[in-house]
Amino acid sequence: MRAVAYRAPGPIAGAQVLADVDLPTPVPTGRDLLVEVRAISVNPVDTKVRKSTPPSQGEWNVLGWDAAGVVVGVGADVSRFKPGDEVYYAGDITRPGANCEFHLVDERIVGRKPQSLDWAGAAALPLTTITAWEALFDRLDVKRPVPGASSILIIGAAGGVGSIAVQLARQLTDLTVIGTASRPETRTWIMELGAHHVLDHSQPLSDEIARLKLGVPGFVLSTTHTDQHLPEIVKLIAPQGRLALIDDPQVLDIVPFKRKSVSTHWEFMFARSMHQTADILQQAALLDEVSRLVDAGVLKTTIAENFGPITAENLTRAHALIESGKARGKIVLEGFAAA
């Protein structure tokens, strides 16, 4: 099967790291589905793994943890799907990724593709949607109010996670949704997704919040540069508020939150699959519910750019754009170039 992979970690600039390769087609066993991949999207985790993780024993390492495709084979223990079903999913970071023609994935973390979306639109959603949903409803527990506070601040709201978090918070809660961005095009994007207000995160956020005269946010979802924004978050968040973050600061000093009894939560959407948790099926249920909401017109895909076929050249461009910090929404690749 055709795939895009790398043999040694390294920067995306300079020598070609990602390569078009031919690999054996895997065989499904147990609860695995064999999916013919029709479209994939690219996330910051792809670039982090590519830069830091060598493949085992000199083998090719396949990235990619967002996919939409058709089930073409099932393991003996599969009960939820059959060949011909259209699916979408984010996969498991401890296993090979989906930048390949045929991919194995545990059925318990797979959802049924939204019927109203094409392959590219569906592939844009899984990883970021699971992350945003778990952060909002499992970690922050936004349906449980913070006394005296009625808003949520989403830092980095134009990125992949922020783009779906804005929609989820606006459509599924009564909170006032405040996003942050620093460029005109990303501010427009966030407003189109449903944010009530957009602030400039290049300015002191506590001052930006005060300017709105809405009171202090009870919830903060930080998607990027949390360590840089932390002093401002300490100032602006409500007493007994809740902070969730998804990025990887080297150090995060949460001691200043003690005086406000602020709880801090890390969201990592691969935790369930990585540790085979007792509630692993929750991710399948989550994706099925998102499909229903998309088909009902409540949520929309966060695709911003389609980079064309799944090739090393196009994936290299996608990695470079994500690493530039200037991407908005999701970058998708669709189909494999003719052999």
Side-chain angles (χ1 to χ4, degrees):
M1 67 173 181
R2 289 169 290 181
V4 178
Y6 71 93
R7 267 218 163 104
I12 203 65
Q16 186 77 13
V17 175
L18 300 176
D20 297 302
V21 299
D22 187 66
L23 298 175
T25 299
V27 176
T29 60
R31 300 196 71 167
D32 276 348
L33 309 176
L34 181 65
V35 177
E36 182 183 357
V37 175
R38 298 294 180 86
I40 56 99
S41 69
V42 187
N43 295 283
V45 65
D46 296 66
T47 69
K48 293 173 185 176
V49 173
R50 189 210 74 240
K51 289 188 289 187
S52 64
T53 307
S56 60
Q57 301 177 344
E59 297 175 354
W60 290 103
N61 200 14
V62 180
L63 301 169
W65 292 282
D66 258 335
V70 179
V71 176
V72 294
V74 298
D77 300 326
V78 167
S79 60
R80 300 183 61 245
F81 298 96
K82 63 183 185 306
D85 287 345
E86 297 182 350
V87 297
Y88 76 141
Y89 57 89
D92 178 348
I93 198 171
T94 67
R95 304 182 68 179
N99 294 344
C100 53
E101 273 188 288
F102 299 97
H103 185 236
L104 291 180
V105 61
D106 188 318
E107 67 166 345
R108 295 173 295 175
I109 56 174
V110 174
R112 298 187 181 278
K113 171 186 167 291
Q115 295 180 2
S116 58
L117 294 181
D118 59 14
W119 297 113
L125 288 173
L127 186 147
T128 50
T129 301
I130 295 170
T131 300
W133 187 290
E134 291 183 350
L136 292 173
F137 302 112
D138 296 346
R139 313 297 169 235
L140 290 177
D141 193 11
V142 293
K143 294 296 184 73
R144 179 168 60 90
V146 171
S150 59
S151 63
I152 181 170
L153 175 66
I154 301 172
I155 299 173
V161 172
S163 293
I164 191 66
V166 166
Q167 295 184 66
L168 292 171
R170 178 63 187 266
Q171 298 295 335
L172 304 183
T173 80
D174 295 326
L175 295 168
T176 298
V177 180
I178 306 166
T180 80
S182 58
R183 292 177 287 142
E185 60 268 31
T186 50
R187 292 174 65 89
T188 299
W189 171 263
I190 296 167
M191 292 299 292
E192 290 174 348
L193 292 173
H196 294 93
H197 305 278
V198 181
L199 306 182
D200 184 349
H201 55 227
S202 69
Q203 302 300 315
L205 284 174
S206 58
D207 293 344
E208 291 281 285
I209 288 289
R211 180 173 56 79
L212 293 178
K213 301 185 185 303
L214 295 173
V216 290
F219 307 97
V220 176
L221 172 56
S222 180
T223 71
T224 184
H225 297 105
T226 302
D227 50 348
Q228 296 177 26
H229 294 299
L230 197 67
E232 290 297 305
I233 297 171
V234 170
K235 291 180 186 178
L236 65 85
I237 196 168
Q240 303 183 83
R242 296 170 219 143
L243 164 68
L245 63 149
I246 66 169
D247 57 332
D248 303 291
Q250 291 294 314
V251 177
L252 195 72
D253 180 10
I254 63 172
V255 172
F257 284 130
K258 180 178 180 179
R259 289 177 178 268
K260 287 186 172 181
S261 285
V262 168
S263 58
T264 305
H265 308 263
W266 233 296
E267 163 57 23
F268 183 56
M269 61 78 53
F270 291 118
R272 282 177 163 135
S273 56
M274 177 180 287
H275 300 287
Q276 294 289 292
T277 61
D279 65 347
I280 189 172
L281 265 168
Q282 286 298 313
Q283 288 197 344
L286 187 165
L287 289 172
D288 283 345
E289 175 62 7
V290 169
S291 276
R292 186 189 70 80
L293 292 169
V294 169
D295 288 339
V298 176
L299 301 175
K300 60 183 180 180
T301 182
T302 54
I303 183 173
E305 296 189 72
N306 188 324
F307 272 26
I310 303 168
T311 65
E313 180 181 2
N314 288 340
L315 271 168
T316 295
R317 289 197 297 125
H319 279 227
L321 180 54
I322 286 176
E323 290 181 3
S324 75
K326 295 181 179 180
R328 62 182 176 89
K330 294 299 293 293
I331 302 167
V332 173
L333 290 82
E334 186 173 10
F336 284 82

